[in-house]
Amino acid sequence: MQLTREDLVVGVTIPGFLVLSTASMIACGHAFPAMHVWRSGITAEAILGTAVMAVFIPAFIAGRFSFGYLVSFALLSAVFGFVWLSFFSAFDYPHVIARWAMIAALAAAMIPLMFQNMPVWRPGLSETAIKRIALLLLASSLAVLVADISYGANLGNPYGAARNAVTRPALLNYLTGIMIGAVLPYLFAHFASRRQWVQAACVLLFALCFYPVVNNKTVLLLPIWLPFLFWLFGRFTPRLATVFAFLIPMIIGLTAFAVLGADRDYVVFSAINLRFLAIPSLALDQYADFFAHRDLTRFCQISVVRRVTTCPYGELGPALGAIYRDGNFNASFLATEGIASVGLALAPVSALVCGLILSVGSMVSRHLSPRFIAVSSGIAVQAIMNVPLTTSLMSNGIALLFLLWWLTPEWRAEASQHQQQSTRPVDAVGVAA
């Protein structure tokens, strides 16, 4: 296979991202020692052991862009951080076994995510029909917001107890999560891809209206993150934009750390490098330790399973938070459906199944432009990295997002733009010339 210039650019950029990821993890260790539990200096063993992760780079060079490509790169970031962290963790679990189990789990998940992209039958909806669906989604979002506000609102600190100050029915909580995680990003992508800028801006402002309801950092992130992705995937080729979606925020956080570190002001660094990038890795570290000394869940964290079997735990996030006192540590399917449910030895098998489930997203969106996929899944990918797969599919609306992708007709302007971009030569930084 002959490598294109874009392949070479991607092949150079990913190692740069991994090197900066190491720097980011080291900076996190200095800024937040209570969460990073490092007890030794950097060693050659840690450097060489983490460098093994470079074996995944050829897959990202060879793979075509898809929803699975996005998820796979996010998983690479999390597992890379965990492998590095495992050399310094003071937790008492089999570090070598955990390290290789997560590397194997990443490989197992990536196989269907990146290389299983079968065509599926789709209904031939018209553009008029999808516009009506968009209006229905807008009306549904408004109805959910009104229902939420009827139970009360609270403009509190997203890091404090304000998030739980108002009690609402479980069904309403599910619907709220679906609106924030799937419906509003889809609507923004729908309007922005059609250059309906006023409607797209209104969606972002409308999303902020959910903040007094949920006091959730995701709601504050959404109006910044989605336009950033829209710009990024319009400016760079899709695979390079995927790397930049992680690399650019990381550089911003590290810059803030270098400039403001003397004043101990880590607001920007904490929001980006710790919560956006390091938390998925730290969660793997804590779950590996927690379940090295306790019974596995056997998937009893799933509500349906819990009803037919006994479960030694309530919600896993609060259970770990009570032990490690680092907050509510929900985690990705690598930790929950993997480490917690079946243990380290079988975690790769669980990851393979989860990868197969998520690969449905690639199949039903293969007709859509990379920009539309990236923007509409901008919050969904973050959910996949920070909550169990069963939760992200239902409570965060990823299953609904897959359905919307399946129903959405190919938008000709976006498709034409993507085709032209993919056929034009690529300059030295991966921007279509």
Side-chain angles (χ1 to χ4, degrees), residues 114-412:
M114 292 187 63
F115 302 106
Q116 199 283 102
N117 195 15
M118 295 173 54
V120 295
W121 173 86
R122 294 189 307 105
L125 294 186
S126 65
E127 181 64 18
T128 301
I130 204 65
K131 287 180 179 179
R132 291 173 179 171
I133 291 176
L135 289 175
L136 177 61
L137 293 174
L138 276 172
S140 300
S141 301
L142 179 60
V144 170
L145 178 61
V146 171
D148 280 326
I149 293 176
S150 69
Y151 285 88
N154 193 330
L155 282 170
N157 185 340
Y159 299 97
R163 296 173 60 178
N164 301 316
V166 179
T167 302
R168 297 180 179 84
L171 177 60
L172 186 55
N173 288 331
Y174 284 129
L175 291 174
T176 303
I178 290 170
M179 296 301 134
I180 296 171
V183 172
L184 293 177
Y186 174 85
L187 288 172
F188 175 79
H190 171 84
F191 291 124
S193 65
R194 289 156 176 78
R195 299 188 179 277
Q196 297 175 340
W197 306 122
V198 174
Q199 294 92 324
C202 288
V203 170
L204 298 179
L205 292 174
F206 181 67
L208 284 176
C209 294
F210 277 91
Y211 181 76
V213 172
V214 296
N215 293 124
N216 191 303
K217 297 179 291 294
T218 301
V219 175
L220 299 178
L221 168 71
L222 190 152
I224 301 172
W225 182 240
L226 298 188
F228 170 69
L229 290 177
F230 186 82
W231 170 81
L232 194 64
F233 278 81
R235 184 73 179 91
F236 298 95
T237 55
R239 293 183 299 167
L240 189 60
T242 299
V243 182
F244 281 168
F246 289 79
L247 182 60
I248 293 175
M250 179 186 295
I251 292 174
I252 293 173
L254 285 173
T255 302
F257 177 83
V259 173
L260 304 174
D263 299 326
R264 312 295 293 178
D265 186 354
Y266 297 129
V267 175
V268 175
F269 179 76
S270 172
I272 298 176
N273 298 66
L274 177 64
R275 298 188 176 276
F276 177 61
L277 296 167
I279 287 294
S281 303
L282 291 166
L284 293 174
D285 188 46
Q286 290 195 358
Y287 274 68
D289 179 67
F290 186 89
F291 288 99
H293 311 286
R294 296 170 179 83
D295 293 336
L296 300 176
T297 66
R298 311 294 181 190
F299 299 101
C300 73
Q301 73 272 12
I302 302 174
S303 299
V304 175
V305 177
R306 185 188 298 273
R307 293 173 181 174
V308 298
T309 185
T310 58
C311 190
Y313 311 101
E315 293 186 26
L316 287 180
L320 270 75
I323 299 296
Y324 300 102
R325 306 205 178 273
D326 289 332
N328 190 337
F329 251 57
N330 289 313
S332 68
F333 65 81
L334 294 177
T336 49
E337 281 86 2
I339 296 171
S341 296
V342 298
L344 289 170
L346 294 178
V349 178
S350 174
L352 176 63
V353 174
C354 292
L356 284 168
I357 294 171
L358 289 172
S359 70
V360 173
S362 297
M363 292 189 290
V364 298
S365 64
R366 66 197 310 267
H367 64 290
L368 299 174
S369 72
R371 177 191 263 184
F372 191 97
I373 295 169
V375 175
S376 58
S377 66
I379 303 301
V381 173
Q382 296 306 312
I384 291 169
M385 297 311 301
N386 290 283
V387 298
L389 179 61
T390 49
T391 302
S392 62
L393 286 172
M394 303 307 296
S395 301
N396 294 100
I398 293 179
L400 175 61
L401 181 62
F402 288 175
L403 175 62
L404 292 173
W405 282 346
W406 183 64
L407 294 173
T408 302
E410 183 176 7
W411 177 241
R412 294 178 182 176

Side-chain angles (χ1 to χ4, degrees), residues 54-107:
V55 300
F56 291 100
I57 295 177
F60 290 95
I61 296 175
R64 298 178 58 186
F65 178 84
S66 65
F67 172 70
Y69 193 99
L70 279 170
V71 176
S72 295
F73 193 82
L75 292 172
L76 173 70
S77 175
V79 174
F80 179 86
F82 168 72
V83 169
W84 172 264
L85 182 65
S86 67
F87 285 97
F88 309 98
S89 174
F91 290 146
D92 182 22
Y93 63 86
H95 295 91
V96 175
I97 294 176
R99 199 176 298 141
W100 286 107
M102 288 300 98
I103 291 174
L106 172 61

